[in-house]
Amino acid sequence: MRVRPMTIAIDGPAASGKSTVGEALAERLDYLYFDTGVMYRAVTWAALERGVRVEDEEAVTKLAEALEIEVTDATDDDGRQYTVLADCVDVTWEIRRPEVDANVSAVSAYGGVRHALVAKQRRIAAGEPVVMVGRDIGTVVLPEADLKIFLDASVEERARRRWLENRERGKDPDRAAVLDAMRRRDRIDSNREISPLRAAVDAVRIDTTAMSIHAVVDEAERLVRERDCP
Ligand code: DC
């Protein structure tokens, strides 16, 4: 008997379309959407805010263990997908700041940080049908996920998307710098020792370089439906 996938893992590099696709797919299926990247970002934000040195693995790990991270439906109509609270402070936009971008790869490479956050992520996924998005969802967080999707796109296309995103937020970033930062993030995320960015062997790969978001969501939904009851 075929059963509808209840746990859907979406992984892939930065700006591969994970968040947009994940959110749209969750909405179509009426599942919870959860972007695990916000947790690593919230810990990074808290470290910067509280003067904890990001090089200090032990201190950052303690912070990750203690920080209350909550993701709720959007509480403001300012373009946000959801609201992120870190110890009750609304950090939804703060965690997108360039300082957080520059430090989050280092923070997310710490074993203790990952251990603390993965436990929180598994608790969230156990509660209800979920589309969970990240780098290691199919490989580490939810290895038993019913459907695993790995989204990818060329680094140039991903940098172009990130550049456009920044422009839409009213910034005017240098294109070459965005491409450089993207390459740097890819290098750190893919080469770190613990849970590097990698497609699970049983993941379905989708190269989104030349696809519209709409087409990717349609394809993801088709993958769910084909595993559904006939
Ligand atoms: O998806 P994002 O750009 O918001 O992720 C922020 C950082 O967190 C990124 O450098 C990779 C890391 N991350 C991770 O290591 N594991 C996850 N499950 C999600 C994000």
Side-chain angles (χ1 to χ4, degrees):
M1 195 186 72
R2 291 194 288 178
V3 192
R4 163 177 282 209
M6 291 297 182
T7 329
I8 300 172
I10 304 185
D11 292 298
S16 56
K18 299 183 304 287
S19 326
T20 316
V21 171
E23 190 192 23
L25 181 65
E27 196 174 324
R28 285 192 192 179
L29 300 172
D30 199 20
Y31 285 12
L32 173 72
Y33 163 64
F34 195 86
D35 174 3
T36 56
V38 304
M39 291 187 141
Y40 294 94
R41 287 175 177 275
V43 172
T44 307
W45 170 84
L48 296 171
E49 184 72 14
R50 298 178 190 178
V52 172
R53 287 177 48 250
V54 291
E55 298 78 21
D56 187 341
E57 177 166 0
E58 207 183 312
V60 177
T61 298
K62 281 207 182 102
L63 188 58
E65 286 165 353
L67 193 69
E68 282 290 335
I69 307 166
E70 212 188 325
V71 183
T72 69
D73 285 342
T75 52
D76 269 301
D77 190 14
D78 58 0
R80 62 180 65 194
Q81 269 185 322
Y82 40 68
T83 291
V84 184
L85 301 173
D87 281 347
C88 302
V89 180
D90 183 345
V91 295
T92 313
W93 294 119
E94 292 291 298
I95 60 172
R96 303 286 159 193
R97 277 189 356 218
E99 302 92 288
V100 173
D101 273 340
N103 289 286
V104 66
S105 287
V107 167
S108 59
Y110 292 146
V113 171
R114 302 202 71 83
H115 186 78
L117 298 189
V118 166
K120 292 180 205 237
Q121 290 157 14
R122 287 189 181 138
R123 277 199 295 277
I124 291 164
E128 58 187 302
V130 68
V131 177
M132 191 165 268
V133 168
R135 301 290 192 289
D136 60 340
I137 310 305
T139 50
V140 176
V141 182
L142 305 172
E144 306 295 329
D146 301 316
L147 171 63
K148 301 177 186 178
I149 296 174
F150 191 86
L151 295 184
D152 208 350
S154 70
V155 68
E156 290 81 10
E157 170 61 14
R158 289 184 290 112
R160 191 187 68 84
R161 291 177 191 168
R162 184 51 50 85
W163 177 76
L164 278 175
E165 234 171 70
N166 284 331
R167 288 202 8 146
E168 275 160 23
R169 288 192 196 136
K171 296 182 203 125
D172 188 19
D174 178 55
R175 274 187 93 139
V178 175
L179 179 59
D180 267 5
M182 188 67 76
R183 288 208 164 104
R184 181 174 164 270
R185 285 261 307 270
D186 281 359
R187 214 167 31 243
I188 302 180
D189 291 346
S190 308
N191 293 317
R192 69 176 175 226
E193 235 167 82
I194 307 158
S195 308
L197 169 67
R198 200 147 291 164
V201 283
D202 50 349
V204 180
R205 280 175 177 270
I206 305 177
D207 184 337
T208 72
T209 306
M211 288 171 85
S212 69
I213 283 292
H214 194 80
V216 183
V217 181
D218 281 350
E219 175 60 7
E221 188 181 2
R222 194 189 64 72
L223 292 168
V224 175
R225 306 270 178 223
E226 84 179 4
R227 286 162 175 76
D228 209 339
C229 299

